């Protein structure tokens, strides 16, 4: 993936809100034999770190024991547009819109019950803030068994790469036309795509 500056022109606070409101993210690891593996997981974003957990028999955990370097990706896919919305004849103008953030990380693994309990409690508070569960504790019999099967991962961020591909390479009039076309077409993701393209216009106007 190529990361052009104009696709990465997103304020930190906007990126933080985007990442923290994604439900799932993708962990990418590589085996000792060079085979990439990918998994989709709930996560907690803490700015300089991300937290997830894996089953101890997960192939990705084996990857990380051998090589702690990994990537964690979150995104929102906004869909595709036909070429003729931009150019009457040139097929090369067909494209896709999405918002993607990739964190290149180093993973630390812990099987300590205290660490696991604290991490699981944080994850539950994010995904189930209304409660409805007994506080997670390594001392509680209900949790001790599962804690013998999972490992806590702390992913320390080395680099963040951003690609919000939302027609920033088009002029304002073209983007306004694309927004209107998306709203008229009205596929399930088109309203969100139109809002995302409108954000680029508003962001540029605010500078």
């Amino acid at each position: 993936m190529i990361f052009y500056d104009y696709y990465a022109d997103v304020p930190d606070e906007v990126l933080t809100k985007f990442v923290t409101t994604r439900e799932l993210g993708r962990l990418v690891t590589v085996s000792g034999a060079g085979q990439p593996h990918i998994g989709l997981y709930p996560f907690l974003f803490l700015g300089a770190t991300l937290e997830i957990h894996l089953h101890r028999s997960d192939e990705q955990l084996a990857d990380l024991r051998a090589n702690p370097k990994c990537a964690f990706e979150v995104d929102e896919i906004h869909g595709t547009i036909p070429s003729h919305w931009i150019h009457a004849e040139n097929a090369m103008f067909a494209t896709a819109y999405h918002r993607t953030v990739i964190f290149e990380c180093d993973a630390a693994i812990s099987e300590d019950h205290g660490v696991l309990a604290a991490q699981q409690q944080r994850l539950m508070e994010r995904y189930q803030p209304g409660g409805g569960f007994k506080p997670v504790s390594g001392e509680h019999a209900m949790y001790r068994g599962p804690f013998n099967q999972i490992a806590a991962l702390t992913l320390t961020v080395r680099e963040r790469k951003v690609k919000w591909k939302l027609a920033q390479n088009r002029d304002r009039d073209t983007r306004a036309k694309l927004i209107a076309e998306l709203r008229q077409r009205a596929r399930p993701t088109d309203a969100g795509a139109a809002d995302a393209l409108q954000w680029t216009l508003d962001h540029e106007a605010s500078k």
Side-chain angles (χ1 to χ4, degrees):
M1 186 182 290
I2 298 175
F3 296 90
Y4 295 109
D5 288 344
Y6 48 79
Y7 290 145
D9 179 20
V10 184
D12 285 345
E13 63 272 18
V14 175
L15 284 172
T16 296
K17 181 178 180 180
F18 174 77
V19 173
T20 55
T21 54
R22 299 308 95 191
E23 288 291 308
L24 299 173
R26 294 173 178 84
L27 175 68
V28 181
T29 59
V30 181
S31 74
Q35 174 61 50
H37 295 130
I38 188 167
L40 192 61
Y41 303 104
F43 69 97
L44 187 65
F45 178 58
L46 300 173
T49 60
L50 299 111
E51 293 185 343
I52 66 172
H53 70 275
L54 298 178
H55 194 280
R56 293 186 192 182
S57 62
D58 193 305
E59 62 186 1
Q60 289 196 279
L61 193 62
D63 293 348
L64 293 171
R65 291 191 193 281
N67 178 7
K69 289 184 169 54
C70 60
F72 195 83
E73 183 263 6
V74 296
D75 63 52
E76 184 171 30
I77 297 169
H78 292 298
T80 62
I81 64 162
S83 60
H84 58 79
W85 282 7
I86 298 175
H87 192 283
E89 298 179 335
N90 191 338
M92 298 301 291
F93 284 87
T95 193
Y97 297 134
H98 62 89
R99 294 188 288 176
T100 300
V101 182
I102 299 171
F103 299 97
E104 294 181 351
C105 304
D106 294 311
I109 303 168
S110 178
E111 296 176 359
D112 179 87
H113 281 205
V115 173
L116 282 161
Q119 185 188 83
Q120 291 300 303
Q121 181 67 29
R122 288 191 291 272
L123 284 164
M124 289 301 295
E125 287 171 358
R126 181 202 165 181
Y127 285 93
Q128 201 168 311
F133 62 95
K134 191 169 187 66
V136 184
S137 166
E139 304 302 317
H140 198 287
M142 183 168 56
Y143 296 120
R144 280 199 302 269
F147 284 170
N148 289 325
Q149 300 178 39
I150 63 174
L153 294 185
T154 300
L155 310 181
T156 299
V157 178
R158 284 184 282 105
E159 186 172 359
R160 183 187 70 191
K161 295 181 176 179
V162 177
K163 187 165 187 175
W164 283 25
K165 189 172 183 291
L166 301 170
Q168 296 96 321
N169 58 332
R170 305 297 172 201
D171 60 39
R172 294 182 66 85
D173 288 345
T174 299
R175 271 180 278 173
K177 177 180 181 294
L178 291 171
I179 290 167
E181 294 280 11
L182 285 162
R183 297 202 188 281
Q184 181 175 2
R185 187 174 67 176
R187 289 179 181 173
T189 62
D190 283 349
D195 291 344
L197 266 66
Q198 182 63 50
W199 176 86
T200 70
L201 296 177
D202 297 341
H203 175 55
E204 291 172 9
S206 69
K207 293 181 180 179

